[in-house]
Amino acid sequence: MSRFRHLLGWDFRNLLRFPMLELLVGIAVYLSVLTGYGGGPSESPYSIVRHIVWHFQSEVVSLYVPTLFAAVVFASVGVAREIEAGYVKVVLSNPVRRRDLFLAKFAGCFLSTLGILTCAVFATMFLQNWSVSKYIVSFPAMILEVFVLLVLQTFFVCCVATAVAVFSKNTAISFIGSFGILYLPDYMSRLAGVKIPFVPPESTELFSLYLKSDLVFWRQYDLTTLLGATVVPVLIAVSLLLMAFMYFTRRYDVV
Amino acid sequence: MVVEARGLVKNFGRVQALKGLDLEVGRGVFGFVGPNGAGKTTTVKILLGLMRASGGVARVFGLDVWKESFVIRKRTGVLHEKPRFPSWVTGLDFLEYVCRLKGLKQPWKTALDELKFFGLAEAVDRRIGGYSAGMVQRLGLAQAFVGNPELVFLDEPTANLDPLGRAEFLEMVKQRCRDDGVSVMISTHILSELERVCDSVAILYDGVALEQGYLSDLVEKYSEGVYVIESSDNMRMLGGLEKLGCVERVWVEGEMIKVKVGDRVEFEKGVVDLAHDLGLGVRRFEPVLSSLEDVYKKVLGGRVVE
């Protein structure tokens, strides 16, 4: 466990040494989620916060591009580049289990991406709604809903990016490949007017609509759609990650 | 035996890097020589569990190199060829990280002591990106030897060192072997240096070990059967030697007689008897030994043109 902790700590140190990246992602989040809400004169604090949170739940979908950008960069730098440059060879020459290194790499990518996005989203939520921000903190359960959406979307993106990084073992291929796999299907489907419901960002949108279940919208969707929006992307992500894990721990020849 | 390999095979697609390598490495300093592409680096990586062999068996400290590689790596250190370290951290930070991965106590102090031993005291707080090639090599040596492993693999360890640095490195290796009882497996092309430190050698070519054994035995085996003799009366000795049946050629070089023989055992007995019969004193009588480079060339024969 202590080795895993050291590996993870080292990974954080490596990934978070680019302040410009964090700043860019933060700015992208802020610009994506523009809303200022002061609340009506007779509105209750619950109603005000509900409106703000609904908006942010919806906007998690539009955060898909900043999320995948951050995850792809972290996976390419933290995994593919380290394999390509030979740093992984140096680490694995020490008493380090491959599974610990793999999990530390994934955890570093996931937690770094999630950390930056969470900080940016909640900073935006408070800064853009400063006059009513005192009410937001009173309803942590609603804020948790936004966080859950962020976690699901980030988990999917990081799993795909990490898997591509491990299989490609090349920084450029990892970056371009991950971006292509994660962005192009969504872009093409929107051009074609078709929705792919079982992967982000569509699955995130469906789940956010479900969370607004006290509105009439949710009745348009049944349990199957809900499961498709939540379980299927997680299964896809975990399967890809598991394949990469099996390859890295059993097949990968360190050259 | 520290390292044992039997019939080791490694395929990279259609390329067969190892074709049934047999290897036995005992304690001390072991030299691993061969031309480029012979399979030296591949062997080291298999022994460390960084690659899985396609066939055969390999053990380090009696442990299977793939199934128990974690345990093996707790007891070994390695300096890879052309080592690469993260350029954005200091040498001390990186070595402290390695100490933590190895589970060493007082990682910061251990790292600092190791860097000082390898002549990097002035550069502990400098980023690795600012190190010279020689300094990177020294850092690699430090991370290989930190924690006093039982066995250290050194793959082309003197590649980036100047002649003085190479001599200093050899002294450090000998000192660690002597003081800490570390066994070392060195892969290098610089045979003259290897000759000064190694106890035994294996010569690889095209994925197999053509020859291996103690250096002294190999040198004697591949010596050309030439002896040098210096006696109290070289002319009389010369006359007597020419009559010995096992002598192929005799000639004089300065103050010494050189003799090329066929049967060494018969010759050595014959010289003793000859000196006794002629009443001559023998001041010097020893074989002219080949160097490791001579052995290497003879073993490889016409296989490689480098």
Side-chain angles (χ1 to χ4, degrees):
Chain A
M1 189 63 192
S2 68
R3 283 189 178 86
F4 175 78
R5 217 176 56 236
H6 295 314
L7 290 166
L8 187 58
W10 185 262
D11 225 51
F12 273 134
R13 186 176 169 179
N14 176 26
L15 292 178
L16 298 178
R17 62 189 171 94
F18 301 113
M20 279 307 296
L21 173 65
E22 281 93 79
L23 196 61
L24 278 171
V25 173
I27 292 171
V29 167
Y30 186 83
L31 293 174
S32 300
V33 196
L34 283 171
T35 182
Y37 189 79
S42 58
E43 270 197 277
S44 67
Y46 175 86
S47 174
I48 293 169
V49 174
R50 186 81 262 179
H51 274 100
I52 292 169
V53 168
W54 278 342
H55 174 77
F56 273 86
Q57 281 174 2
S58 303
E59 291 302 327
V60 170
V61 176
S62 62
L63 291 179
Y64 182 67
V65 172
T67 307
L68 84 88
F69 177 74
V72 165
V73 169
F74 285 144
S76 300
V77 168
V79 182
R81 186 169 181 278
E82 298 233 325
I83 293 174
E84 191 181 19
Y87 305 148
V88 163
K89 180 171 68 176
V90 173
V91 172
L92 287 177
S93 298
N94 290 289
V96 169
R97 295 187 199 278
R98 289 192 183 206
R99 65 161 193 255
D100 288 344
L101 182 61
F102 181 91
L103 292 173
K105 290 289 177 198
F106 170 72
C109 175
F110 174 65
L111 293 173
S112 299
T113 307
L114 186 66
I116 293 173
L117 283 166
T118 305
C119 292
V121 165
F122 289 108
T124 306
M125 190 186 283
F126 283 94
L127 288 172
Q128 289 185 347
N129 300 282
W130 189 245
S131 58
V132 298
S133 59
K134 59 181 181 285
Y135 299 125
I136 297 174
V137 295
S138 309
F139 301 96
M142 281 197 263
I143 296 172
L144 191 63
E145 290 172 6
V146 177
F147 183 68
V148 166
L149 289 171
L150 272 178
V151 168
L152 285 174
Q153 186 161 269
T154 307
F155 180 76
F156 179 87
V157 167
C158 288
C159 283
V160 173
T162 303
V164 172
V166 167
F167 284 117
S168 69
K169 301 186 281 292
N170 178 283
T171 314
I173 295 174
S174 169
F175 187 87
I176 295 168
S178 300
F179 215 89
I181 290 169
L182 289 166
Y183 182 68
L184 277 180
D186 174 58
Y187 178 72
M188 304 294 281
S189 64
R190 275 191 276 127
L191 281 180
V194 172
K195 291 193 177 184
I196 309 174
F198 301 125
V199 292
E202 288 304 323
S203 60
T204 311
E205 185 169 11
L206 283 173
F207 193 41
S208 74
L209 288 172
Y210 168 75
L211 290 173
K212 299 176 190 176
S213 57
D214 54 348
L215 291 182
V216 70
F217 299 118
W218 82 270
R219 294 192 189 102
Q220 298 173 8
Y221 304 98
D222 56 14
L223 188 62
T224 311
T225 310
L226 176 64
L227 284 174
T230 53
V231 173
V232 171
V234 170
L235 282 177
I236 293 172
V238 169
S239 303
L240 283 170
L241 197 66
L242 198 60
M243 282 196 294
F245 177 81
M246 298 301 283
Y247 167 74
F248 188 79
T249 54
R250 288 169 196 241
R251 287 277 184 210
Y252 169 52
D253 281 341
V254 181
V255 292
Chain B
M1 286 295 146
V2 177
V3 174
E4 277 184 275
R6 292 275 172 264
L8 210 56
V9 175
K10 178 61 184 173
N11 300 319
F12 294 104
R14 289 184 191 173
V15 176
Q16 198 172 30
L18 295 178
K19 300 175 182 175
L21 176 72
D22 293 329
L23 197 64
E24 282 184 359
V25 180
R27 298 217 170 266
V29 183
F30 183 86
F32 214 28
V33 298
N36 294 329
K40 303 185 296 295
T41 301
T42 303
T43 304
V44 170
K45 286 181 177 173
I46 289 173
L47 293 176
L48 284 167
L50 297 176
M51 288 183 180
R52 195 169 191 175
S54 306
V57 174
R59 293 185 176 279
V60 176
F61 308 124
L63 304 168
D64 184 272
V65 294
W66 181 254
K67 292 176 186 167
E68 295 170 280
S69 76
F70 178 77
V71 179
I72 291 171
R73 281 179 278 131
K74 277 186 179 178
R75 298 164 67 178
T76 57
V78 61
L79 170 61
H80 292 287
E81 188 179 3
K82 294 178 192 164
R84 298 284 305 276
F85 304 115
S87 58
W88 56 90
V89 293
T90 65
L92 182 57
D93 280 344
F94 174 73
L95 199 57
E96 187 188 354
Y97 173 57
V98 171
C99 289
R100 291 183 192 281
L101 292 180
K102 291 190 174 194
L104 300 177
K105 290 178 185 168
Q106 297 184 304
W108 186 85
K109 186 179 179 305
T110 308
L112 189 62
D113 291 342
E114 204 67 44
L115 287 172
K116 284 177 180 172
F117 180 85
F118 284 101
L120 288 173
E122 306 292 322
V124 294
D125 290 327
R126 207 190 304 172
R127 290 193 178 189
I128 298 174
Y131 280 15
S132 67
M135 291 167 77
V136 170
Q137 204 73 9
R138 287 169 186 272
L139 177 63
L141 287 172
Q143 64 92 39
F145 279 97
V146 75
N148 293 328
E150 293 174 51
L151 172 65
V152 173
F153 298 94
L154 302 175
D155 197 351
E156 299 289 349
T158 59
N160 290 316
L161 299 178
D162 56 40
L164 278 175
R166 288 208 292 266
E168 209 179 318
F169 154 76
L170 291 173
E171 278 310 308
M172 286 182 211
V173 170
K174 284 198 306 197
Q175 187 182 340
R176 291 303 276 260
C177 290
R178 192 176 53 236
D179 297 348
D180 302 333
V182 178
S183 294
V184 177
M185 203 160 147
I186 304 181
S187 164
T188 180
H189 288 130
I190 308 177
L191 301 178
S192 56
E193 293 176 352
L194 201 62
E195 214 169 1
R196 286 160 54 188
V197 290
C198 67
D199 305 311
S200 45
V201 158
I203 299 175
L204 263 69
Y205 177 75
D206 198 25
V208 291
L210 296 180
E211 190 64 85
Q212 62 179 290
Y214 286 108
L215 182 59
S216 53
D217 293 343
L218 286 177
V219 160
E220 198 175 319
K221 180 179 174 183
Y222 285 93
S223 292
E224 291 181 333
V226 175
Y227 286 80
V228 60
I229 300 172
E230 200 178 330
S231 70
S232 51
D233 188 341
N234 277 346
M235 293 312 296
R236 287 177 64 201
M237 177 61 82
L238 189 67
L241 286 170
E242 283 171 343
K243 292 172 187 168
L244 287 179
C246 53
V247 168
E248 293 175 8
R249 192 163 74 96
V250 185
W251 70 99
V252 176
E253 276 185 17
E255 298 284 328
M256 294 176 291
I257 301 170
K258 284 197 171 174
V259 188
K260 183 153 175 26
V261 306
D263 188 330
R264 295 183 203 186
V265 173
E266 189 188 333
F267 174 71
E268 288 173 10
K269 186 178 178 302
V271 167
V272 171
D273 293 339
L274 180 65
H276 180 263
D277 293 343
L278 295 177
L280 297 174
V282 176
R283 286 198 285 269
R284 186 176 171 191
F285 174 47
E286 59 190 15
V288 175
L289 296 175
S290 297
S291 64
L292 178 58
E293 191 168 333
D294 294 331
V295 174
Y296 179 77
K297 286 177 184 171
K298 284 172 189 171
V299 169
L300 288 182
R303 288 180 175 92
V304 172
V305 177
E306 278 195 290

